[in-house]
Amino acid sequence: MSRVAEHLASGALSGFTSTVFLQPFDFLKTRQQQLHAAARPPVLRLARDVVVAEGPLGLWRGTNASLARNIPGIALYMTGLSQVRSMLARTSMFSAPEGQRRLSTLPTLSHSGNMFAGAATRVAVGILLNPISVLKARYESSLHSLPSLPAAFRDLMRAGPSELTRGLLASSVRDAPYAGLFVLSYEGMKRQTGNALPLLPSSIVHTTSAATAGTLATLATHPFDVIKTKIQVRTEDQYRGFLRTVVAIWKTRGLMGFLDGASLRLSRKILSSAIGWGVYEGVLMLSRRL
């Protein structure tokens, strides 16, 4: 199998695994963020109401759209990140000496190289798959009643560029610093952990480093996730556009409005980062040994 195919397959498996196990976190986060009123129901009550109305599988509503977004999205992101890192590693500006325990299949870069590679790759994939992100948010929301995924996608295509690109600015503003900080923190944690605990299995190093990086990047970028969700699922004029949505959230909820769903997104990101990167790097390292 070629290196590109290995990265695509590993990324796709990573995306499938984390999405299926963690969809309830995304679902409940969207339900919290979609609300316009000042009061927010507790997460457990929200989950209970969904289970009562739709059964336990109701918490997995939107999984098809999430898989359609995350399997190709994570596969493309992981593969693109590897390719970008390989290119940057050949430049004097972004390369860095190895000088550390080999715990990764990815090239070693400088701090600025890690940030640039993560941010550029994540934003590029986000732009490409933004229409599916819009559908994912709307399937998870209770404000939209959508047909099958293919039919919903055709309807979105017919709606034109304004709908296909809804929330794109907010997504990009969220994704660029998130991915840059994540890759920087992830690689730094792997290096520090590998040097401090050389006998620790690489799988544990990968999962703990990814969980830590996911925590830091999520806390730094969550307000933009709230803005993105509002734009994609609300239909009122006050949620048309980035700045108008910021003003609407501030008027309705104040500063705390930009933290809606933070605990759910943080929980999901910690787990998805640990699972996703653990699976991804583990599969790649195993394939190198076969």
Side-chain angles (χ1 to χ4, degrees):
M1 184 183 292
S2 70
R3 290 294 175 87
V4 172
E6 286 179 359
H7 284 282
L8 283 171
S10 299
L13 179 60
S14 169
F16 175 83
T17 305
S18 60
T19 298
V20 170
F21 280 104
L22 303 175
Q23 175 62 20
F25 290 93
D26 252 358
F27 170 79
L28 293 171
K29 174 186 73 70
T30 299
R31 287 295 178 93
Q32 276 204 332
Q33 292 178 347
Q34 75 176 22
L35 298 175
H36 178 72
R40 286 295 184 277
V43 173
L44 291 180
R45 183 194 302 170
L46 192 62
R48 184 198 63 194
D49 291 345
V50 171
V51 171
V52 169
E54 306 178 38
L57 291 181
L59 296 173
W60 273 264
R61 179 177 173 180
T63 299
N64 287 344
S66 293
L67 289 172
R69 168 62 179 82
N70 291 340
I71 290 179
I74 294 176
L76 289 172
Y77 172 68
M78 299 294 200
T79 305
L81 181 62
S82 175
Q83 297 301 308
V84 171
R85 287 169 64 88
S86 295
M87 289 189 293
L88 295 180
R90 294 193 289 269
T91 68
S92 58
M93 181 182 299
F94 294 119
S95 62
E98 292 288 337
Q100 61 199 48
R101 180 186 173 199
R102 189 63 174 169
L103 288 163
S104 176
T105 59
L106 303 175
T108 304
L109 298 177
S110 64
H111 294 328
S112 59
N114 284 323
M115 292 192 70
F116 177 78
T121 307
R122 183 69 176 260
V123 169
V125 173
I127 292 172
L128 180 64
L129 296 177
N130 191 72
I132 306 299
S133 296
V134 174
L135 291 181
K136 172 184 176 297
R138 291 179 179 178
Y139 270 109
E140 293 167 351
S141 168
S142 63
L143 302 176
H144 297 265
S145 180
L146 299 179
S148 66
L149 184 59
F153 185 73
R154 287 195 297 269
D155 291 343
L156 190 68
M157 292 289 289
R158 283 195 290 266
S162 63
E163 289 299 297
L164 292 170
T165 58
R166 277 189 76 118
L168 181 57
L169 176 59
S171 294
S172 298
V173 173
R174 176 199 64 182
D175 288 347
Y178 176 88
L181 287 171
F182 182 92
V183 176
L184 174 65
S185 303
Y186 177 60
E187 293 299 320
M189 281 294 299
K190 282 197 302 184
R191 181 173 61 254
Q192 297 288 344
T193 305
N195 291 338
L197 301 169
L199 298 181
L200 200 63
S202 60
S203 59
I204 296 178
V205 175
H206 293 152
T207 55
T208 55
S209 298
T212 303
T215 300
L216 297 174
T218 299
L219 290 174
T221 60
H222 184 74
F224 300 109
D225 187 70
V226 178
I227 297 167
K228 184 270 306 178
T229 300
K230 293 283 193 186
I231 294 173
Q232 290 180 341
V233 304
R234 304 292 311 194
T235 58
E236 299 91 336
D237 287 342
Q238 69 198 88
Y239 295 110
R240 292 277 180 172
F242 185 89
L243 292 179
R244 295 175 73 178
T245 302
V246 171
V247 172
I249 295 172
W250 179 264
K251 287 182 177 179
T252 306
R253 293 272 292 137
L255 184 61
M256 293 303 296
F258 296 98
L259 298 177
D260 287 340
S263 61
L264 288 164
R265 181 169 179 252
L266 182 60
S267 299
R268 188 200 183 283
K269 284 295 185 181
I270 291 173
L271 294 172
S272 67
S273 297
I275 294 171
W277 282 88
V279 170
Y280 172 70
E281 293 231 50
V283 169
L284 286 180
M285 295 184 79
L286 178 62
S287 68
R288 298 293 192 268
R289 300 191 188 107
L290 297 179

